[in-house]
């Protein structure tokens, strides 16, 4: 008897399960979604012009939580001081008017593609220059309505944003580019933006930029007060570090090579005027072209940049090498003129001595020689000159001043350039660490 009851109980339970499965199989969830949407968004039931209530149904401001996903950063332009970014932008808020029955937890959310069907926050990007939505193949936007009335809005957009830059340390600089989002019409009494808790900003892995590295990002609030009230504002600061290796290869090393090439003139013979002039002029024009090319890729700011100091000093060294040859050439001609004058003076003295020897006898000649020797011994000794003593140590040919200038330049120019490099890199690298 007991076994019979047990059999009928199992049979009854199996019938219930089969009936339940049959009912589930007959449920059309798409039809259910349509009915729910018609129920909560039907005419006269929902007004998208009215903002949602505050927290716990109060009359306080509606709270909208924001998070963004940075998909790519295509460029950072130093001339126009702007950067382009593509991101997925998400907003989430609670609208209790949109609550619905989730059919026992089997309907997780409703999806809309028309943003004008529900109330939307009037957020805008305050530092935006240009922007557009993505509509290929379909508009990249969706709205999800959850059973408890929460609304999630997600859209993919591309923006070109203003980024004021300080280029005093260029190209050893770091730049902070901001993304600012604010309410346009609703004051903080009606609408408040908050960053989503946990992870408000995400960045795609392996983000590659041509000449920058994204070091970190910081989220903050930037509420603004105007004559019409206070408006809620969010911002995220992106800290970019400029990749120095590109500028080292393209600017610093070529400039160093040009300066060193200009020093080759010091080792050429003084008489090789065409070679020394062409070398000096060529390096000077090349350095000037390089400087103008660098300035063409930068905005005309009023202050001096680190790259301006470098190119200006390198241009000065190249120009100094050209002026050094002009000085050498002048000294060489002066030395030649002095030698000619000495030669003529010796010839005139020799001629006068020969004439005197014909007129005077032997005793007179002896007396004249003694008088000249006395005059020589009676001349006052010259005071020693430290500079002349130091310069006399350099190997010269016939003690010519032109050769001595070349020898001094071979040592002075590299030493001064090395000292400049020491001061330059110490100063700007130290200032970069201070900014960090």
């Amino acid at each position: 008897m007991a076994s019979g009851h047990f059999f009928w109980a199992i049979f009854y339970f199996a019938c219930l399960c089969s009936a339940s499965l049959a009912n589930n199989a007959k449920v059309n969830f798409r039809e259910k979604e349509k009915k729910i949407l018609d129920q909560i968004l039907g005419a006269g039931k929902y007004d998208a012009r009215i903002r949602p209530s505050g927290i716990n149904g109060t009359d306080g401001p509606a709270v909208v939580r924001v998070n963004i996903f940075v998909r790519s950063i295509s460029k950072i332009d130093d001339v126009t001081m702007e950067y382009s970014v593509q991101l997925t932008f998400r907003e989430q808020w609670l609208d209790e008017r949109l609550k619905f029955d989730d059919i026992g937890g089997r309907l997780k959310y409703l999806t809309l593609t028309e943003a004008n069907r529900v109330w939307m926050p009037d957020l805008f990007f305050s530092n935006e220059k240009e922007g557009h939505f993505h509509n290929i193949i379909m508009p990249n936007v969706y709205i999800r309505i959850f059973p408890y009335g929460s609304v999630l809005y997600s859209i993919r957009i591309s923006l070109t944003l203003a980024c004021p830059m300080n280029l005093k340390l260029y190209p050893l600089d770091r730049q902070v580019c901001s993304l600012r989002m604010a309410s346009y019409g609703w004051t903080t009494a009606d609408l408040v933006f908050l960053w989503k808790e946990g992870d408000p900003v995400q960045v795609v892995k392996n983000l590659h930029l041509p000449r920058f590295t994204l070091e970190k990002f910081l989220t903050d609030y930037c509420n603004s007060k105007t004559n019409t009230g206070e408006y809620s504002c969010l911002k995220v600061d992106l800290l970019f570090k400029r990749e120095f290796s590109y500028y080292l290869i393209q600017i610093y090393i070529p400039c160093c090579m040009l300066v060193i090439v200009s020093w080759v003139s010091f080792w050429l013979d003084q008489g090789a005027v065409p070679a020394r002039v062409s070398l000096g002029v060529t390096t000077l024009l090349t350095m000037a072209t390089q400087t103008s090319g660098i300035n063409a890729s930068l905005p005309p700011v009023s202050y001096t940049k680190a790259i301006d100091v470098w190119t200006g000093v390198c241009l000065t060294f190249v120009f100094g090498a050209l002026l050094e040859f002009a000085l050498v050439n002048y000294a060489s001609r002066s030395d030649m003129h002095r030698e000619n004058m000495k030669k003529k003076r010796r010839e005139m003295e020799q001629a006068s001595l020969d004439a005197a020897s014909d007129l005077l006898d032997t005793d007179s000649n002896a007396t004249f020689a003694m008088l000249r020797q006395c005059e020589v011994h009676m001349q006052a000794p010259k005071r020693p000159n430290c500079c002349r003593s130091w310069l006399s140590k350099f190997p010269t040919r016939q003690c010519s001043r032109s050769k001595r200038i070349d020898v001094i330049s071979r040592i002075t120019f590299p030493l001064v350039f090395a000292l400049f490099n020491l001061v330059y890199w110490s100063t700007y690298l130290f200032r970069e660490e201070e900014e960090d």
Side-chain angles (χ1 to χ4, degrees), residues 128-378:
E128 173 213 350
K129 287 187 173 181
E130 294 179 358
H132 67 272
F133 301 117
H134 292 265
N135 299 315
I136 301 197
I137 298 176
M138 292 292 292
N140 297 169
V141 59
Y142 68 78
I143 298 174
R144 290 178 180 175
I145 304 175
F146 294 88
Y148 51 91
S150 178
V151 182
L152 174 63
Y153 174 73
S154 178
I155 187 170
R156 185 165 74 100
I157 52 179
S158 292
L159 300 169
T160 299
L161 303 164
C163 179
M165 299 182 183
N166 185 350
L167 300 174
K168 289 183 178 180
L169 297 182
Y170 178 91
L172 299 166
D173 58 333
R174 283 176 168 83
Q175 300 298 336
V176 178
C177 294
S178 298
L179 175 63
R180 295 174 176 266
M181 301 160 284
S183 172
Y184 190 81
W186 299 96
T187 64
T188 52
D190 296 308
L191 179 62
V192 172
F193 290 111
L194 297 176
W195 284 112
K196 183 180 179 181
E197 297 179 357
D199 194 10
V201 178
Q202 303 95 40
V203 179
V204 66
K205 294 182 179 179
N206 301 323
L207 178 65
H208 295 290
L209 297 173
R211 289 180 290 176
F212 287 88
T213 300
L214 178 61
E215 288 193 327
K216 60 182 179 180
F217 51 85
L218 302 171
T219 57
D220 200 357
Y221 296 90
C222 54
N223 291 6
S224 60
K225 291 184 179 181
T226 66
N227 292 334
T228 56
E230 181 179 0
Y231 298 89
S232 183
C233 175
L234 303 177
K235 75 171 182 175
V236 53
D237 292 331
L238 305 173
L239 178 61
F240 296 102
K241 180 183 179 182
R242 199 181 298 273
E243 288 291 342
F244 180 68
S245 57
Y246 168 82
Y247 300 92
L248 180 65
I249 297 173
Q250 296 293 327
I251 297 177
Y252 284 90
I253 292 179
C255 288
C256 279
M257 294 173 64
L258 285 173
V259 173
I260 294 173
V261 167
S262 68
W263 297 342
V264 174
S265 173
F266 306 151
W267 300 87
L268 296 178
D269 187 76
Q270 306 165 31
V273 176
R276 296 187 69 161
V277 170
S278 60
L279 179 64
V281 172
T282 302
T283 52
L284 182 62
L285 292 177
T286 306
M287 191 67 216
T289 304
Q290 177 114 351
T291 302
S292 62
I294 295 169
N295 293 330
S297 62
L298 292 173
V301 294
S302 59
Y303 48 82
T304 302
K305 304 179 289 293
I307 195 67
D308 295 334
V309 176
W310 175 265
T311 54
V313 172
C314 290
L315 189 62
T316 302
F317 270 91
V318 174
F319 184 66
L322 185 61
L323 289 182
E324 188 270 350
F325 170 67
L327 182 61
V328 166
N329 187 264
Y330 172 78
S332 177
R333 288 185 285 108
S334 178
D335 290 339
M336 189 179 300
H337 178 70
R338 186 177 59 180
E339 290 296 328
N340 292 334
M341 294 298 294
K342 286 182 178 180
K343 185 176 180 181
K344 290 181 178 179
R345 190 180 298 112
R346 286 195 299 268
E347 291 177 353
M348 292 176 64
E349 289 178 354
Q350 186 64 33
S352 62
L353 288 175
D354 293 341
S357 62
D358 294 339
L359 298 174
L360 300 175
D361 54 6
T362 305
D363 294 338
S364 300
N365 289 339
T367 304
F368 181 73
M370 290 176 64
L371 290 174
R372 283 182 58 87
Q373 189 174 3
C374 291
E375 289 178 0
V376 171
H377 285 290
M378 290 176 66

Side-chain angles (χ1 to χ4, degrees), residues 25-41:
K26 293 179 182 179
V27 173
N28 188 339
F29 286 98
R30 306 290 79 79
E31 185 66 25
K32 289 286 184 180
E33 290 182 8
K34 178 182 180 302
K35 290 182 179 180
I36 293 173
L37 288 174
D38 291 340
Q39 179 183 354
I40 62 177
L41 298 177

